[in-house]
Amino acid sequence: MSAVAVVMRARLLRALPVTAVLLVIVAGLVLAVLDHWRRGSAALAAAAGLAALLRLVLPARLAGVLAVRSRRFDVAFLLAVTALLVAMALAVRGVPG
């Protein structure tokens, strides 16, 4: 394998975690725009939970932009965001979704 291929593969591996989180975020936003507020909020909570899980299990060099501060802080913050988004999804009433 050439040096260029090795570098490209390393860059692709670093981009996969944040790409997965962004895809779930986009799905949640699409659901919210289509008036499925509860499902959209739940998808956003799932994205934050996925980010927390990926930050917990991946080393910093593979976590990419998910690694902002220490692992403990990042996971705690993302789990708090997840809990708030779940609460928001459960609190939405009177709208479809």
Side-chain angles (χ1 to χ4, degrees):
M1 194 179 294
S2 71
V4 173
V6 170
V7 170
M8 292 301 289
R9 184 173 182 192
R11 286 183 183 174
L12 178 63
L13 284 175
R14 276 197 313 262
L16 284 177
V18 73
T19 302
V21 172
L22 287 174
L23 287 173
V24 178
I25 289 172
V26 168
L29 293 175
V30 167
L31 287 169
V33 167
L34 295 175
D35 283 337
H36 296 287
W37 292 96
R38 186 169 294 191
R39 291 178 187 158
S41 299
L44 292 175
L50 175 62
L53 177 68
L54 290 172
R55 180 62 179 111
L56 181 65
V57 300
L58 293 176
R61 64 181 173 78
L62 291 179
V65 297
L66 296 177
V68 177
R69 306 259 183 214
S70 70
R71 181 183 310 244
R72 183 180 297 173
F73 178 86
D74 289 342
V75 171
F77 180 79
L78 288 165
L79 288 176
V81 170
T82 300
L84 289 171
L85 288 168
V86 167
M88 182 178 76
L90 294 174
V92 173
R93 297 181 191 262
V95 294

XYZ file of all heavy atoms in Angstrom:
699
model
N 0.843 -1.171 0.000
C 0.000 0.000 0.000
C 0.893 1.241 0.000
O 1.844 1.329 0.766
C -0.894 -0.021 1.247
C -2.019 0.954 1.177
S -3.122 0.952 2.605
C -3.868 -0.636 2.521
N 0.567 2.206 -0.827
C 1.398 3.401 -0.936
C 1.187 4.314 0.267
O 0.220 4.194 1.008
C 1.069 4.154 -2.217
O -0.201 4.755 -2.118
N 2.094 5.242 0.431
C 2.014 6.179 1.543
C 0.767 7.052 1.430
O 0.127 7.377 2.435
C 3.267 7.046 1.588
N 0.405 7.418 0.211
C -0.791 8.242 0.001
C -2.042 7.470 0.426
O -2.931 8.014 1.071
C -0.890 8.690 -1.474
C -2.199 9.401 -1.735
C 0.294 9.564 -1.837
N -2.091 6.200 0.088
C -3.245 5.381 0.463
C -3.344 5.238 1.970
O -4.446 5.253 2.533
C -3.150 4.012 -0.198
N -2.226 5.106 2.634
C -2.222 4.986 4.092
C -2.740 6.273 4.728
O -3.559 6.237 5.657
C -0.801 4.647 4.604
C -0.719 4.751 6.117
C -0.397 3.268 4.134
N -2.308 7.410 4.227
C -2.757 8.698 4.761
C -4.252 8.884 4.512
O -4.996 9.305 5.399
C -1.945 9.861 4.141
C -2.560 11.201 4.483
C -0.499 9.784 4.592
N -4.702 8.544 3.322
C -6.129 8.690 2.999
C -6.984 7.777 3.873
O -8.053 8.171 4.326
C -6.377 8.393 1.519
C -5.777 9.423 0.585
S -6.423 11.078 0.876
C -8.068 10.875 0.255
N -6.514 6.566 4.097
C -7.262 5.636 4.945
C -7.336 6.153 6.386
O -8.378 6.063 7.028
C -6.604 4.263 4.907
C -7.384 3.245 5.684
C -6.835 1.878 5.504
N -7.672 0.943 6.246
C -7.367 -0.271 6.493
N -6.235 -0.768 6.046
N -8.167 -1.046 7.174
N -6.246 6.708 6.889
C -6.226 7.265 8.237
C -7.196 8.437 8.351
O -7.932 8.556 9.344
C -4.818 7.703 8.613
N -7.241 9.285 7.342
C -8.173 10.421 7.360
C -9.624 9.946 7.315
O -10.480 10.495 7.997
C -7.905 11.348 6.179
C -6.681 12.171 6.339
C -6.508 13.125 5.188
N -5.268 13.867 5.325
C -4.810 14.686 4.416
N -5.469 14.880 3.297
N -3.680 15.338 4.617
N -9.884 8.930 6.527
C -11.234 8.389 6.439
C -11.670 7.794 7.775
O -12.792 8.021 8.225
C -11.307 7.330 5.339
C -12.659 6.641 5.156
C -13.712 7.663 4.739
C -12.556 5.529 4.140
N -10.783 7.067 8.419
C -11.115 6.474 9.716
C -11.387 7.544 10.768
O -12.267 7.377 11.613
C -9.990 5.552 10.187
C -9.909 4.203 9.490
C -8.685 3.431 9.962
C -11.171 3.396 9.717
N -10.649 8.653 10.720
C -10.881 9.741 11.680
C -12.197 10.452 11.416
O -12.801 11.003 12.328
C -9.734 10.742 11.629
C -8.550 10.344 12.473
C -7.623 11.515 12.727
N -7.306 12.278 11.529
C -6.193 12.136 10.814
N -5.286 11.276 11.173
N -5.998 12.865 9.743
N -12.665 10.456 10.171
C -13.894 11.167 9.823
C -15.149 10.335 10.075
O -16.244 10.893 10.167
C -13.850 11.592 8.359
N -15.031 9.029 10.188
C -16.215 8.173 10.339
C -17.052 8.465 11.581
O -18.285 8.553 11.480
C -15.815 6.701 10.297
C -15.487 6.152 8.913
C -15.041 4.702 9.008
C -16.656 6.294 7.979
N -16.467 8.634 12.766
C -17.311 8.881 13.940
C -18.156 10.150 13.829
O -19.366 10.124 14.063
C -16.308 8.991 15.095
C -15.101 8.264 14.621
C -15.064 8.466 13.141
N -17.542 11.242 13.437
C -18.306 12.487 13.350
C -19.299 12.434 12.191
O -20.392 13.002 12.275
C -17.373 13.719 13.266
C -16.722 13.829 11.924
C -18.139 14.982 13.593
N -18.970 11.719 11.127
C -19.897 11.568 10.009
C -21.147 10.807 10.445
O -22.271 11.185 10.092
C -19.217 10.853 8.828
O -18.063 11.613 8.445
C -20.147 10.714 7.656
N -20.957 9.762 11.220
C -22.109 8.994 11.720
C -23.005 9.870 12.592
O -24.237 9.858 12.459
C -21.623 7.782 12.507
N -22.411 10.655 13.470
C -23.192 11.543 14.343
C -23.924 12.587 13.505
O -25.107 12.866 13.724
C -22.278 12.203 15.398
C -23.029 13.274 16.176
C -21.725 11.145 16.348
N -23.251 13.159 12.527
C -23.887 14.173 11.686
C -25.042 13.612 10.873
O -26.058 14.300 10.677
C -22.845 14.815 10.762
C -21.870 15.765 11.449
C -20.795 16.220 10.468
C -22.593 16.951 12.046
N -24.925 12.380 10.422
C -26.035 11.765 9.677
C -27.269 11.612 10.558
O -28.397 11.863 10.112
C -25.613 10.415 9.107
C -24.665 10.468 7.921
C -24.191 9.064 7.550
C -25.328 11.133 6.732
N -27.076 11.233 11.811
C -28.217 11.107 12.728
C -28.807 12.483 13.032
O -30.030 12.646 13.114
C -27.803 10.367 14.017
C -28.962 10.276 14.995
C -27.285 8.978 13.692
N -27.963 13.496 13.168
C -28.451 14.862 13.400
C -29.292 15.327 12.215
O -30.381 15.887 12.404
C -27.275 15.827 13.647
C -26.652 15.553 15.013
C -27.725 17.285 13.548
C -25.366 16.321 15.262
N -28.805 15.101 11.011
C -29.562 15.507 9.814
C -30.905 14.796 9.772
O -31.936 15.414 9.480
C -28.730 15.245 8.535
C -29.585 15.373 7.284
C -27.557 16.194 8.471
N -30.924 13.500 10.091
C -32.195 12.762 10.109
C -33.148 13.367 11.130
O -34.344 13.542 10.851
C -31.942 11.290 10.419
N -32.653 13.732 12.301
C -33.495 14.355 13.320
C -34.039 15.696 12.882
O -35.212 16.018 13.117
N -33.206 16.489 12.237
C -33.667 17.796 11.764
C -34.699 17.658 10.655
O -35.672 18.419 10.604
C -32.477 18.631 11.300
C -31.509 19.063 12.407
C -30.307 19.785 11.809
C -32.216 19.927 13.433
N -34.500 16.681 9.780
C -35.489 16.436 8.725
C -36.826 16.043 9.347
O -37.885 16.536 8.943
C -34.992 15.363 7.737
C -36.106 14.869 6.835
C -33.843 15.915 6.902
N -36.793 15.170 10.335
C -38.036 14.782 11.015
C -38.712 15.983 11.668
O -39.939 16.134 11.593
C -37.750 13.700 12.062
C -37.455 12.318 11.514
C -36.928 11.410 12.616
C -38.700 11.718 10.874
N -37.928 16.836 12.305
C -38.502 18.014 12.962
C -39.131 18.961 11.936
O -40.217 19.498 12.162
C -37.431 18.736 13.766
N -38.469 19.149 10.803
C -39.003 20.021 9.756
C -40.303 19.458 9.184
O -41.206 20.200 8.812
C -37.950 20.237 8.645
C -38.547 20.857 7.405
C -36.819 21.098 9.172
N -40.399 18.143 9.162
C -41.607 17.495 8.636
C -42.709 17.361 9.704
O -43.627 16.568 9.550
C -41.257 16.116 8.070
C -40.336 16.131 6.857
C -39.949 14.712 6.465
C -40.982 16.847 5.687
N -42.604 18.134 10.773
C -43.591 18.183 11.859
C -43.671 16.908 12.678
O -44.706 16.608 13.273
C -44.985 18.552 11.332
C -45.106 20.030 11.028
O -44.322 20.803 11.613
O -45.961 20.400 10.221
N -42.586 16.182 12.757
C -42.490 15.036 13.659
C -41.528 15.426 14.785
O -40.424 14.908 14.898
C -41.990 13.797 12.913
C -42.924 13.325 11.852
N -44.106 12.690 12.145
C -42.858 13.417 10.511
C -44.728 12.398 11.013
N -43.985 12.834 10.010
N -41.991 16.363 15.630
C -41.134 16.964 16.641
C -40.587 15.941 17.625
O -39.407 15.969 17.963
C -41.899 18.037 17.410
C -42.225 19.204 16.564
C -43.389 19.446 15.904
C -41.352 20.281 16.224
N -43.291 20.605 15.187
C -42.054 21.147 15.374
C -40.048 20.603 16.574
C -41.494 22.306 14.869
C -39.486 21.753 16.073
C -40.211 22.598 15.223
N -41.443 15.064 18.098
C -40.997 14.092 19.097
C -39.950 13.145 18.512
O -38.931 12.882 19.127
C -42.191 13.314 19.630
C -41.810 12.397 20.759
C -43.011 11.856 21.433
N -43.688 12.979 22.068
C -44.672 12.868 22.916
N -45.132 11.694 23.240
N -45.234 13.925 23.456
N -40.207 12.650 17.323
C -39.234 11.752 16.677
C -37.940 12.493 16.345
O -36.842 11.944 16.485
C -39.827 11.148 15.413
C -40.927 10.171 15.699
C -41.509 9.629 14.435
N -42.686 8.810 14.727
C -43.625 8.548 13.878
N -43.564 9.016 12.645
N -44.654 7.797 14.225
N -38.069 13.724 15.900
C -36.871 14.521 15.608
C -36.046 14.774 16.853
O -34.815 14.652 16.833
N -36.718 15.106 17.952
C -36.010 15.321 19.218
C -35.353 14.035 19.697
O -34.228 14.053 20.212
C -36.978 15.828 20.287
O -37.535 17.052 19.905
N -36.051 12.922 19.532
C -35.478 11.636 19.926
C -34.259 11.300 19.074
O -33.260 10.759 19.583
C -36.531 10.539 19.816
N -34.308 11.613 17.792
C -33.153 11.361 16.921
C -31.972 12.242 17.324
O -30.818 11.786 17.303
C -33.529 11.594 15.459
N -32.240 13.483 17.687
C -31.156 14.355 18.149
C -30.559 13.822 19.454
O -29.341 13.872 19.652
C -31.659 15.786 18.325
C -32.029 16.507 17.036
C -32.626 17.875 17.347
C -30.837 16.639 16.120
N -31.417 13.302 20.333
C -30.918 12.681 21.566
C -30.063 11.460 21.234
O -29.018 11.231 21.854
C -32.088 12.292 22.468
N -30.499 10.682 20.252
C -29.720 9.513 19.836
C -28.363 9.935 19.282
O -27.346 9.263 19.522
C -30.500 8.710 18.798
N -28.329 11.040 18.557
C -27.051 11.536 18.012
C -26.105 11.923 19.142
O -24.911 11.595 19.104
C -27.298 12.722 17.087
N -26.627 12.601 20.157
C -25.785 12.982 21.295
C -25.325 11.736 22.053
O -24.172 11.651 22.491
C -26.540 13.929 22.224
N -26.217 10.764 22.205
C -25.832 9.518 22.860
C -24.783 8.756 22.068
O -23.845 8.192 22.641
N -24.938 8.738 20.748
C -23.941 8.092 19.894
C -22.591 8.787 20.020
O -21.544 8.135 20.111
C -24.409 8.099 18.437
C -23.436 7.561 17.398
C -23.119 6.085 17.664
C -23.987 7.762 15.997
N -22.619 10.113 20.049
C -21.370 10.863 20.206
C -20.715 10.533 21.545
O -19.492 10.356 21.618
C -21.634 12.362 20.094
N -21.523 10.428 22.606
C -20.976 10.076 23.920
C -20.365 8.679 23.899
O -19.266 8.457 24.424
C -22.070 10.157 24.986
N -21.063 7.740 23.290
C -20.560 6.373 23.214
C -19.259 6.300 22.413
O -18.284 5.657 22.837
C -21.610 5.455 22.589
C -21.192 4.010 22.379
C -21.018 3.309 23.720
C -22.204 3.278 21.527
N -19.238 6.973 21.271
C -18.026 6.967 20.444
C -16.855 7.622 21.176
O -15.726 7.146 21.113
C -18.289 7.670 19.109
C -19.211 6.919 18.150
C -19.551 7.803 16.957
C -18.586 5.618 17.699
N -17.127 8.712 21.874
C -16.065 9.386 22.633
C -15.558 8.506 23.759
O -14.377 8.511 24.101
C -16.582 10.720 23.177
C -15.563 11.501 23.968
C -14.362 11.890 23.125
N -13.406 12.653 23.888
C -12.199 12.196 24.240
N -11.802 10.996 23.868
N -11.384 12.944 24.939
N -16.453 7.710 24.338
C -16.066 6.831 25.439
C -15.167 5.687 24.971
O -14.184 5.357 25.631
C -17.317 6.263 26.116
C -17.099 5.333 27.302
C -16.443 6.094 28.451
C -18.426 4.742 27.745
N -15.489 5.100 23.831
C -14.776 3.886 23.411
C -13.609 4.128 22.461
O -12.730 3.277 22.364
C -15.746 2.857 22.781
C -16.807 2.447 23.772
C -16.363 3.371 21.506
N -13.595 5.252 21.772
C -12.519 5.503 20.803
C -11.380 6.286 21.440
O -11.618 7.189 22.244
C -13.046 6.286 19.602
C -14.034 5.570 18.695
C -14.534 6.524 17.622
C -13.392 4.353 18.068
N -10.151 5.987 21.049
C -9.040 6.829 21.508
C -9.156 8.217 20.870
O -9.787 8.385 19.828
C -7.797 6.089 21.010
C -8.271 5.169 19.950
C -9.714 4.877 20.214
N -8.537 9.191 21.499
C -8.659 10.585 21.045
C -8.243 10.755 19.590
O -8.859 11.515 18.853
C -7.842 11.502 21.940
N -7.241 10.030 19.152
C -6.786 10.197 17.764
C -7.802 9.695 16.763
O -7.831 10.147 15.624
C -5.441 9.523 17.550
C -5.454 8.034 17.721
C -4.069 7.425 17.514
N -4.059 6.024 17.834
C -4.526 5.069 17.048
N -5.016 5.382 15.866
N -4.503 3.807 17.426
N -8.681 8.765 17.142
C -9.725 8.285 16.240
C -11.054 8.989 16.459
O -11.922 8.957 15.589
C -9.920 6.773 16.401
C -8.790 5.895 15.905
C -9.112 4.423 16.145
C -8.520 6.141 14.445
N -11.231 9.619 17.611
C -12.486 10.309 17.899
C -12.613 11.601 17.100
O -13.714 12.124 16.932
C -12.607 10.599 19.391
N -11.500 12.101 16.607
C -11.542 13.315 15.779
C -12.093 14.504 16.545
O -11.714 14.752 17.688
N -13.035 15.223 15.932
C -13.565 16.434 16.549
C -14.510 16.135 17.710
O -14.953 17.066 18.392
C -14.264 17.333 15.508
C -13.288 17.806 14.465
C -15.435 16.641 14.886
N -14.819 14.887 17.973
C -15.604 14.547 19.155
C -14.764 14.696 20.422
O -15.306 14.823 21.515
C -16.146 13.115 19.060
C -17.127 12.840 17.927
C -17.508 11.369 17.920
C -18.350 13.714 18.038
N -13.453 14.683 20.275
C -12.541 14.848 21.407
C -12.212 16.328 21.549
O -11.391 16.871 20.819
C -11.278 14.035 21.186
N -12.897 16.989 22.481
C -12.697 18.425 22.672
C -11.899 18.698 23.938
O -10.914 19.405 23.931
C -14.057 19.156 22.739
C -13.867 20.635 23.001
C -14.840 18.924 21.462
N -12.364 18.126 25.028
C -11.693 18.273 26.322
C -11.217 16.898 26.766
O -10.940 16.040 25.951
C -12.674 18.864 27.335
C -13.313 20.152 26.879
C -12.640 21.308 27.523
N -13.330 22.528 27.112
C -12.705 23.653 26.944
N -11.421 23.729 27.135
N -13.354 24.736 26.585
N -11.207 16.667 28.046
C -10.848 15.334 28.528
C -11.983 14.366 28.195
O -13.130 14.772 27.999
C -10.619 15.357 30.044
O -11.841 15.555 30.726
N -11.674 13.093 28.145
C -12.683 12.083 27.828
C -13.828 12.152 28.832
O -14.995 12.107 28.472
C -12.063 10.693 27.837
C -13.043 9.608 27.487
C -12.419 8.244 27.577
N -11.162 8.181 26.854
C -10.945 7.424 25.797
N -11.885 6.641 25.346
N -9.780 7.425 25.194
N -13.507 12.273 30.117
C -14.532 12.320 31.164
C -15.475 13.501 30.960
O -16.694 13.359 31.038
C -13.868 12.402 32.534
C -14.857 12.383 33.673
C -14.171 12.456 35.002
N -13.333 11.275 35.176
C -12.514 11.104 36.175
N -12.384 12.035 37.098
N -11.789 10.016 36.272
N -14.918 14.673 30.694
C -15.758 15.862 30.488
C -16.626 15.710 29.248
O -17.834 16.000 29.289
C -14.886 17.119 30.358
C -15.695 18.350 30.096
C -16.243 19.067 31.142
C -15.925 18.789 28.800
C -17.013 20.199 30.906
C -16.696 19.913 28.545
C -17.240 20.623 29.613
N -16.034 15.277 28.140
C -16.785 15.133 26.893
C -17.949 14.169 27.053
O -19.079 14.465 26.646
C -15.877 14.647 25.760
C -14.895 15.700 25.284
O -15.112 16.894 25.568
O -13.914 15.325 24.621
N -17.702 13.011 27.671
C -18.766 12.017 27.842
C -19.841 12.544 28.785
O -21.039 12.416 28.505
C -18.181 10.672 28.337
C -19.288 9.710 28.732
C -17.300 10.063 27.259
N -19.447 13.174 29.895
C -20.427 13.717 30.845
C -21.284 14.789 30.176
O -22.513 14.809 30.342
C -19.719 14.282 32.070
N -20.660 15.670 29.422
C -21.400 16.736 28.751
C -22.373 16.173 27.723
O -23.542 16.572 27.665
C -20.425 17.712 28.084
C -21.112 18.832 27.371
C -21.601 19.911 28.071
C -21.273 18.802 25.994
C -22.255 20.952 27.419
C -21.922 19.824 25.328
C -22.407 20.908 26.046
N -21.898 15.226 26.920
C -22.766 14.640 25.895
C -23.906 13.838 26.507
O -25.030 13.840 25.984
C -21.945 13.785 24.934
C -21.041 14.582 23.992
C -20.015 13.673 23.346
C -21.866 15.314 22.951
N -23.673 13.176 27.625
C -24.761 12.458 28.298
C -25.777 13.434 28.893
O -26.978 13.154 28.897
C -24.204 11.521 29.372
C -23.489 10.287 28.832
C -22.888 9.491 29.981
C -24.421 9.419 28.000
N -25.306 14.577 29.390
C -26.228 15.601 29.894
C -27.082 16.155 28.755
O -28.300 16.338 28.907
C -25.448 16.718 30.579
N -26.474 16.407 27.612
C -27.222 16.868 26.436
C -28.233 15.810 26.008
O -29.380 16.126 25.679
C -26.263 17.233 25.282
C -27.011 17.466 23.986
C -25.444 18.460 25.648
N -27.823 14.547 26.044
C -28.727 13.454 25.696
C -29.936 13.454 26.625
O -31.082 13.345 26.167
C -27.995 12.096 25.778
O -26.903 12.112 24.873
C -28.924 10.949 25.433
N -29.699 13.570 27.918
C -30.796 13.571 28.889
C -31.743 14.748 28.663
O -32.966 14.592 28.725
C -30.240 13.605 30.307
N -31.192 15.914 28.375
C -32.037 17.086 28.119
C -32.864 16.909 26.852
O -34.041 17.281 26.812
C -31.183 18.346 28.025
C -30.577 18.819 29.344
C -29.572 19.940 29.093
C -31.649 19.265 30.305
N -32.279 16.343 25.831
C -33.025 16.126 24.587
C -34.102 15.051 24.759
O -35.186 15.165 24.181
C -32.066 15.760 23.456
C -31.209 16.917 22.944
C -30.102 16.407 22.043
C -32.067 17.938 22.224
N -33.820 14.031 25.549
C -34.850 13.028 25.843
C -35.997 13.677 26.616
O -37.174 13.444 26.309
C -34.261 11.833 26.626
C -35.350 10.963 27.211
C -33.356 11.014 25.722
N -35.670 14.510 27.588
C -36.708 15.214 28.338
C -37.530 16.107 27.417
O -38.759 16.177 27.541
C -36.075 16.039 29.459
N -36.872 16.776 26.496
C -37.587 17.621 25.543
C -38.498 16.780 24.652
O -39.642 17.148 24.397
C -36.596 18.397 24.677
C -37.264 19.339 23.693
S -36.091 20.294 22.729
C -35.526 19.063 21.576
N -38.008 15.629 24.202
C -38.827 14.762 23.349
C -40.054 14.268 24.092
O -41.147 14.177 23.528
C -37.990 13.577 22.864
N -39.891 13.977 25.371
C -41.034 13.508 26.166
C -41.987 14.639 26.530
O -43.175 14.402 26.744
C -40.530 12.820 27.442
C -39.750 11.527 27.216
C -39.171 11.021 28.532
C -40.627 10.476 26.556
N -41.482 15.855 26.579
C -42.316 16.988 26.974
C -43.137 17.546 25.834
O -44.140 18.242 26.078
C -41.436 18.102 27.553
N -42.783 17.270 24.609
C -43.525 17.789 23.464
C -44.898 17.134 23.433
O -45.013 15.918 23.384
C -42.744 17.525 22.152
C -43.577 17.907 20.944
C -41.432 18.273 22.150
N -45.920 17.960 23.484
C -47.296 17.433 23.492
C -48.131 18.124 22.421
O -47.876 19.240 22.050
C -47.958 17.679 24.836
C -47.293 16.994 25.979
C -48.046 17.287 27.267
N -47.295 16.848 28.395
C -47.503 15.695 29.016
N -48.446 14.893 28.599
N -46.769 15.355 30.039
N -49.128 17.413 21.977
C -50.111 18.019 21.095
C -49.665 18.226 19.664
O -50.319 18.941 18.918
N -48.551 17.657 19.292
C -48.126 17.756 17.899
C -47.886 16.341 17.376
O -47.569 15.437 18.138
C -46.829 18.602 17.742
C -47.082 20.040 18.110
C -45.689 18.034 18.552
N -48.009 16.132 16.084
C -47.795 14.791 15.551
C -46.332 14.351 15.741
O -45.437 15.168 15.795
C -48.103 14.924 14.059
C -48.473 16.324 13.807
C -48.397 17.098 15.079
N -46.136 13.063 15.761
C -44.792 12.545 15.785
C -44.483 11.798 16.998
O -43.468 11.402 17.350
